[in-house]
């Protein structure tokens, strides 16, 4: 097994190679505005570091979010197209699950929250690092304060809103290394991973215009 | 290979997911998935809706293009993609796909200019572009007069719209007339049964002191809307066919007049018309008439190649390969305001195919 994992659902552009036992190379750069530019060179670098070429990969693992859409799509489109060109399966993993896994918490419950911008967070609660309790959701921190009260929390969304998440701590962003390890474990156990479709959680902002603007002066 | 490169082109600058395949100047496949129906109720293209649709449609559209062309991805000589101008988020989906595809196949990547692609597509219809070529590009996003002596390296803007694009004016007037979105095809249809001389709408920027090659459609749009509103206020029926025909005539009169003038001034005997509005039947007819009268040879691709598509991107990509232009780097980014003077986005430093070969054992 050789998995190439990537995630662009948070400010981190992160790539890792996993041989079924261990992560053999990885790269993480944090730059929320340059996912498109950074991802392919990072893939190239990680492969070079491992001394491997892309067509040795047997599967792609990609973070499906939730996350800011423009960046999120960079990873998904890249993964989809790699899958097409190489003829290998593309597996989706919820980005919040990757963060939960990286948090390495044996006994929860705890919260994973990432920055959803517009003063909101993407979040879910976990029983432990492998077990999600709630569906990923997007909310204003104040609106979920009661539900997350007293729980430890990880992720940039938690670190950003200490009023709601007073005990927030690292990791801040997801890492493809964690994503890959999580996916490798699940695949080895014969588990199905979700399709690589984005978790947007919000509808596109668009308003149906009521009517055209009258131009005749009154 | 250099003469007749096999190139796949990806276009996602607006609401069409286009994947085309060409061999030199021969069209092999032109697969397009449009999200236009999803935008219709919003009366215009919604960027986020377009971006979501591109992500869904990309892989199936690439598959369809390869089947249509009957070629294997392994045999491609390059992958081209619209790097700009266009909607930033939409462009990024196409650029991400093209980069991943080119990298996985070990092929060079060419980030190219959407406007230059609209010109270059005519090679698939009428053979190699004459040098120089005068091009009139008219669509929902742009209205420009461009002079190119080499479509891979030299595109010079002579004039452009100072307000609305021509296609935008069609959309707005269609909305005033309650004809729906997009406005171009429906106005064209109504205009065929109307009298283009029924109402004398203004011709923008055609005064003696106005810039010779610039366009303006905002004043026309307002004049037409006022005329319609006055009819409605008087309780009279709006003669939709005559309004459509007279409005359309005002647009295409100015476009063709200025384009022919530019050809004469620059001593160019070929005029190419591209972009979505080039599908307009009256624009094609009047341009033909006026070019003939001035001894100019008109080149307009079939309507399907005028609207946004991947074949036009492949056509320009193939020209880049044929002329030995530098490929783009793996960090190619989408540039929503890529200047028309940049036909492509060459990589920095050394050739990236070589780089991939060194780093990943591709040869
Ligand atoms: Zn266009």
């Amino acid at each position: 097994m050789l998995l190439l994992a990537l995630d662009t659902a948070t400010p981190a552009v992160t790539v890792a190679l996993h041989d079924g036992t261990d992560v053999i190379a990885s790269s993480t750069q944090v730059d929320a505005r340059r996912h498109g530019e950074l991802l392919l060179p990072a893939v190239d670098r990680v492969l070079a570091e491992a001394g491997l070429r892309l067509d040795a990969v047997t599967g792609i693992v990609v973070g499906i979010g939730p996350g800011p859409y423009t960046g999120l799509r960079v990873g998904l489109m890249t993964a989809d197209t790699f899958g097409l060109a190489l003829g290998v399966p593309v597996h989706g993993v919820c980005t919040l699950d990757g963060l939960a896994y990286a948090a390495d918490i044996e006994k929860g419950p705890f919260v994973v929250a990432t920055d959803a911008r517009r003063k909101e967070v993407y979040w879910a609660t976990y029983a432990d690092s492998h077990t999600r309790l709630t569906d990923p959701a997007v909310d204003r921190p104040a609106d979920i304060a009661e539900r997350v009260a007293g729980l430890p929390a990880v992720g940039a969304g938690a670190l950003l809103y200490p009023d709601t998440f007073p005990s927030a701590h690292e990791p801040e962003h997801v890492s493809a290394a964690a994503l890959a390890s999580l996916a490798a474990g699940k695949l080895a156990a014969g588990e199905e991973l979700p399709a690589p479709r984005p978790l947007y959680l919000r509808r596109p902002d668009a308003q149906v215009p009521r009517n055209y603007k009258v131009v005749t002066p009154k | 290979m250099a003469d007749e490169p096999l190139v796949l082109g990806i276009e996602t600058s607006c609401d069409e997911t286009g994947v085309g395949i060409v061999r030199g100047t021969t069209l092999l496949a032109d697969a397009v998935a449009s999200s236009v129906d999803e935008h219709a109720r919003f009366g215009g293209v919604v960027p986020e809706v377009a971006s979501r649709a591109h992500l869904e449609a990309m892989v199936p559209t690439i598959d369809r293009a390869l089947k249509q062309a009957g070629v294997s991805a392994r045999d491609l000589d390059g992958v081209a993609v619209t790097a700009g101008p266009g909607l930033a988020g939409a462009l990024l989906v196409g650029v991400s796909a093209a980069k991943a595809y080119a990298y996985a196949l070990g092929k060079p990547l060419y980030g190219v200019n959407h406007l230059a692609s609209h010109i270059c597509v005519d090679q698939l219809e009428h053979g190699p572009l004459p040098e120089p070529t005068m091009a009139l590009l008219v669509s929902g996003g742009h209205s420009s007069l461009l002079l190119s002596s080499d479509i891979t390296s030299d595109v010079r803007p002579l004039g452009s719209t100072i307000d609305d694009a021509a296609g935008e004016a069609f959309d707005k007037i269609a909305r005033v007339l309650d004809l729906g979105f997009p406005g171009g095809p429906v106005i064209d249809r109504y205009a065929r049964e109307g009298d283009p001389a029924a109402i004398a709408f203004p011709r923008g920027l055609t005064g003696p002191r106005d810039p010779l090659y610039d366009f303006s459609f905002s004043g026309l749009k307002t004049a037409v809307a006022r005329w319609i509103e006055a009819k409605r206020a008087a309780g009279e029926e709006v003669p939709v066919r005559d309004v459509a025909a007279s409005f359309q005539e005002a647009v295409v009169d100015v476009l063709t007049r200025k384009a022919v003038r530019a050809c004469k001034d620059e001593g160019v005997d070929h005029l190419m018309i591209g972009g979505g509005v080039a599908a307009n039947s009256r624009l094609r007819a009047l341009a033909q008439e006026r070019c003939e009268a001035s001894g100019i040879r008109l080149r307009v691709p079939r309507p399907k190649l005028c609207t946004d598509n991947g074949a036009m991107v492949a056509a320009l990509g193939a020209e880049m390969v044929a002329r030995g232009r530098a490929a783009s780097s793996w960090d190619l980014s989408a540039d929503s305001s890529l200047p028309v003077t940049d036909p492509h986005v060459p990589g920095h430093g050394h050739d990236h195919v070589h780089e991939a070969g060194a780093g990943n054992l591709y040869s």
Side-chain angles (χ1 to χ4, degrees):
Chain A
M1 187 195 289
L2 183 66
L3 295 176
L4 173 73
L6 42 98
D7 190 295
T8 56
T10 72
V13 177
T14 176
V15 179
L17 273 175
H18 195 290
D19 65 5
T21 313
D22 283 308
V23 171
I24 54 175
S26 68
S27 157
T28 297
Q29 291 156 290
V30 177
D31 189 339
R33 306 172 63 90
R34 295 174 63 219
H35 290 105
E37 284 158 68
L38 298 175
L39 183 59
L40 236 289
V43 169
D44 190 44
R45 226 172 27 248
V46 166
L47 285 166
E49 194 187 314
L52 291 166
R53 50 191 244 177
L54 186 62
D55 61 7
V57 162
T58 60
I60 312 286
V61 175
V62 61
I64 57 174
Y69 314 143
T70 303
L72 172 63
R73 276 189 288 263
V74 169
L76 282 162
M77 191 72 267
T78 302
D80 262 5
T81 317
F82 278 163
L84 170 73
L86 302 171
V88 299
V90 182
H91 309 286
V93 174
C94 169
T95 297
L96 301 179
D97 291 358
L99 251 163
Y101 182 88
D104 196 20
I105 295 173
E106 299 242 325
K107 221 174 128 33
F110 67 98
V111 182
V112 172
T114 60
D115 184 8
R117 299 183 187 161
R118 300 187 212 168
K119 297 179 179 154
E120 293 184 318
V121 293
Y122 294 118
W123 69 288
T125 53
Y126 291 79
D128 58 59
S129 270
H130 298 267
T131 317
R132 178 149 43 81
L133 295 170
T134 58
D135 284 337
V138 58
D139 286 290
R140 281 173 173 265
D143 295 344
I144 57 168
E146 266 177 46
R147 276 181 282 170
V148 301
L151 300 182
V154 301
L159 292 159
L160 211 54
Y161 300 102
D163 285 352
T164 303
F165 305 102
S167 54
H169 60 87
E170 303 268 294
E172 191 176 3
H173 304 306
V174 73
S175 79
L179 216 63
S181 303
L182 173 61
K186 284 182 186 265
L187 289 172
E191 257 185 73
E192 275 289 306
L193 291 172
R197 302 270 61 91
L199 294 174
Y200 288 123
L201 305 190
R202 291 188 191 117
R203 286 177 192 285
D205 286 328
Q207 284 182 352
V208 180
R210 232 169 278 137
N211 222 327
Y212 79 97
K213 220 166 72 221
V214 174
V215 299
T216 306
K218 287 277 141 64
Chain B
M1 169 280 253
D3 291 351
E4 297 271 278
L6 182 67
V7 172
L8 178 141
I10 294 177
E11 150 66 32
T12 61
S13 68
C14 193
D15 61 339
E16 323 277 359
T17 310
V19 180
I21 299 173
V22 308
R23 192 185 297 280
T25 59
T26 307
L27 175 64
L28 300 185
D30 177 19
V32 175
S34 177
S35 61
V36 67
D37 294 344
E38 294 172 58
H39 303 285
R41 67 197 183 95
F42 300 112
V45 173
V46 181
E48 176 60 21
V49 171
S51 297
R52 291 185 181 193
H54 288 313
L55 177 64
E56 295 303 318
M58 183 59 68
V59 166
T61 309
I62 293 176
D63 258 339
R64 198 146 51 87
L66 286 169
K67 284 205 185 80
Q68 233 176 63
V71 299
S72 157
R74 295 270 148 206
D75 296 331
L76 293 171
D77 294 308
V79 176
V81 63
T82 304
L87 302 170
L91 286 167
L92 189 55
V93 177
V95 168
S96 299
K99 287 205 282 192
Y101 205 51
Y103 184 84
L105 296 169
K107 311 290 183 187
L109 169 77
Y110 295 87
V112 301
N113 190 301
H114 180 79
L115 304 178
S117 300
H118 266 307
I119 301 175
C120 198
V121 74
D122 194 50
Q123 299 206 134
L124 306 177
E125 194 84 294
H126 299 110
L129 284 171
E131 297 179 343
T133 287
M134 184 67 68
L136 172 66
L137 282 197
V138 272
S139 76
H142 25 87
S143 305
S144 347
L145 266 170
L146 305 167
L147 181 59
S148 170
S149 69
D150 173 345
I151 196 61
T152 64
S153 66
D154 175 40
V155 178
R156 182 153 64 92
L158 297 184
S160 62
T161 181
I162 59 166
D163 39 58
D164 296 345
E168 248 179 298
F170 276 89
D171 287 340
K172 284 177 182 167
I173 296 307
R175 196 194 297 177
V176 180
L177 289 169
D178 289 322
L179 300 179
F181 172 88
V186 65
I187 296 250
D188 194 352
R189 211 161 54 238
Y190 275 94
R192 270 174 228 175
E193 294 161 20
D195 176 6
I199 311 147
F201 287 128
R203 269 59 172 164
L205 292 188
T206 52
R209 264 185 289 274
D210 287 329
L212 273 178
Y213 309 130
D214 284 339
F215 303 104
S216 166
F217 298 107
S218 169
L220 168 65
K221 180 192 70 192
T222 309
V224 176
R226 271 193 193 154
W227 194 92
I228 295 166
E229 285 163 18
K231 279 276 169 198
R232 284 178 182 153
E236 292 171 44
E237 197 172 322
V238 177
V240 175
R241 288 166 178 79
D242 285 347
V243 171
S246 300
F247 156 73
Q248 176 176 280
E249 194 67 14
V251 174
V252 305
D253 176 24
V254 177
L255 289 173
T256 53
R257 205 193 300 179
K258 293 201 174 208
V260 167
R261 173 73 194 265
C263 285
K264 284 183 181 165
D265 290 354
E266 298 285 336
V268 176
D269 58 2
H270 281 86
L271 174 65
M272 185 272 158
I273 306 185
V277 179
N280 181 275
S281 65
R282 180 60 185 150
L283 174 61
R284 298 169 85 97
L286 188 60
Q288 189 62 51
E289 195 180 295
R290 288 183 170 172
C291 281
E292 257 165 40
S294 301
I296 297 165
R297 210 191 127 206
L298 179 68
R299 294 169 58 121
V300 195
R302 76 195 84 155
K304 192 168 182 250
L305 293 179
C306 289
T307 48
D308 292 348
N309 62 80
M312 68 190 217
V313 180
L316 184 53
E319 203 56 40
M320 294 292 169
V321 177
R323 296 194 186 220
R325 302 289 172 219
S328 302
S329 306
W330 295 125
D331 67 353
L332 173 71
S333 55
D335 182 352
S336 58
S337 54
L338 185 68
V340 64
T341 46
D342 295 355
H344 80 304
V345 184
H348 32 79
H350 49 285
D351 179 47
H352 82 90
V353 180
H354 177 73
E355 198 175 286
N360 292 308
L361 320 176
Y362 277 120
S363 51

